[in-house]
Amino acid sequence: MRRVRALIAGLLALTAAPVFGRDEALAPGMRNPLLPGYFADPSIVRDGGEWLVFATIDPWGADTLGLWRSRNFRDWTFETPNWPTKAAATSSTSSKSKVWAPSVVKGRDGKFWMYVSVGSEIWVGSADHPAGPWRDANGGKPLIPRNFRPGLHMIDAEAFVDDDGQAYLYWGSGLNWVNGHCFVVKLKPDMVTFDGEPRDVTPPHYFEAPFMLKRGGRYFLTYSFGNTTKDTYQLRYAVGASPMGPFREVSDTPLLATDATRQIISPGHHAIFRAGGKDFVLYHRQALPFTPAGDMVLRQVAVDRLTVSGDKLSIVPTHRGADVPGTAARRSGARPGRLTASGSADPVHSAAAAGDDNYATSWRSNPGAAWLQADLGAVKAIGATTLRPAYPTATVRFSIEASLDGKVWRQIAAERVASGSPIALAAIPKARFVRLVFPQGADILEWNWPTR
């Protein structure tokens, strides 16, 4: 939490951020980023008509994972699973690294299994429902300890269950952004015990984040290459006749790579899922505006279509997002009237960004006390509104004021401290102007209003 607060303070103090035009990436109504906030390394499952996305919490991991839940693929609610936590998943060989890179799958036993990186080690847990409660499944010790293969990173595990129910586990990365290695091993029916020795199946241009896809009898090993903290991260793939390899790289052209002219920066670390007979890829890319800052990264999750033709895969990255079957036509809530603010950290993060239905943009205040104000256009009563802060795991302090004329203000909701996303706000009595007052400043992705 201290790291998040420090980063927020730094961003609030930023007054010289690069400015670029309101191109497609920043246009109102864009559906990518999919999730409201800064998250990476997504894994997705569907259960009982609900979508669940597990992800790393940026910047650079936290003491828990993030979990987003939705029934219409547009309106997402944030929570944190009970397991793993940094405290609960640690061993004598663990490093200081936080909780990263979940992979959640349904096993042949009907249970859900999570393989996750904590302390640069791989841990495994199980649950009867993907939302939990989760339980450690390996006696309180890592499935793959940090020193399993010295000189390499034992992270980014991804499980794959073949058509015959046989499960496999893929994992591996390098150190200092070079020399990544990919390992695979069969899992016994308990989804924990190795069935044989791990095999090194590293293809060309591999660094980390393996994900196995089977289509048309072919096994596609997809993976990331490059450095996610810079603009070199990309998504690649190789194909084989067996889930144990060997795998050959089909093309030297990456599936996804930086396209700076379209403001798509460092796409990678993905999950592939199927809906309505079509394939989709969920992945992270750098938040906008991209400002390299060492290892302190802010990434956001996007979704686009994946097409398969023979041994060829293709993806066209978009800002509009993919038409996943069942996706709501728009996010819940109407846009408020004209938004103004006491000030903004820079022109990119203006007040209007808190009402543009685009999670790539936000209103970011100057340091210190600030307010965000809506002009409703006429005196009216409004039902409960919701707030989506840029950092759902951090706390935001605010009160609510209202005015008939913009001159005389009355407090209609006392100051409170809240976290999460969305944060429910009190209904608004008759007013022309409504103001959120933040005594410590704020970074707000969206202020959503009830549909009128």
Side-chain angles (χ1 to χ4, degrees), residues 294-330:
D295 284 345
M296 195 63 76
V297 293
L298 289 178
R299 297 160 293 184
Q300 294 187 288
V301 173
V303 62
D304 281 302
R305 275 278 282 125
L306 167 72
T307 58
V308 184
S309 178
D311 62 359
K312 300 290 182 66
L313 304 182
S314 62
I315 304 167
V316 177
T318 71
H319 296 291
R320 182 182 181 276
D323 294 318
V324 176
T327 299
R330 59 169 297 140

Side-chain angles (χ1 to χ4, degrees), residues 238-253:
V239 66
S242 162
M244 300 290 289
F247 299 100
R248 62 178 179 84
E249 196 170 65
V250 175
S251 171
D252 191 42
T253 302

Side-chain angles (χ1 to χ4, degrees), residues 27 44 77 87 92 101 183 218 237 257 271 291 293 321 340 364 393 411 414:
I44 184 169
T77 299
S92 61
F183 300 94
R218 297 173 175 85
Y237 74 102
T291 52
T340 56
R364 185 179 298 160
T393 58
Q411 188 177 83

Side-chain angles (χ1 to χ4, degrees), residues 205 223-225 232-237 249 251-258 267 313-315 317:
H205 300 103
Y223 44 90
S224 294
F225 181 65
T232 61
Y233 212 51
Q234 53 188 238
L235 179 58
R236 289 180 170 268
Y237 74 102
E249 196 170 65
S251 171
D252 191 42
T253 302
L255 276 172
L256 289 171
T258 292
L313 304 182
S314 62
I315 304 167

Side-chain angles (χ1 to χ4, degrees), residues 325-398:
T327 299
R330 59 169 297 140
R331 295 182 181 114
S332 296
R335 304 278 67 76
R338 187 172 68 93
L339 292 177
T340 56
S342 54
S344 301
D346 55 76
V348 173
H349 297 93
S350 66
D356 64 358
D357 194 25
N358 183 344
Y359 294 151
T361 66
S362 71
W363 168 65
R364 185 179 298 160
S365 75
N366 287 312
W371 50 258
L372 179 66
Q373 178 178 307
D375 180 352
L376 308 182
V379 175
K380 62 183 73 174
I382 298 292
T385 66
T386 58
L387 200 63
R388 289 199 181 272
Y391 299 89
T393 58
T395 57
V396 58
R397 183 183 298 271
F398 62 93

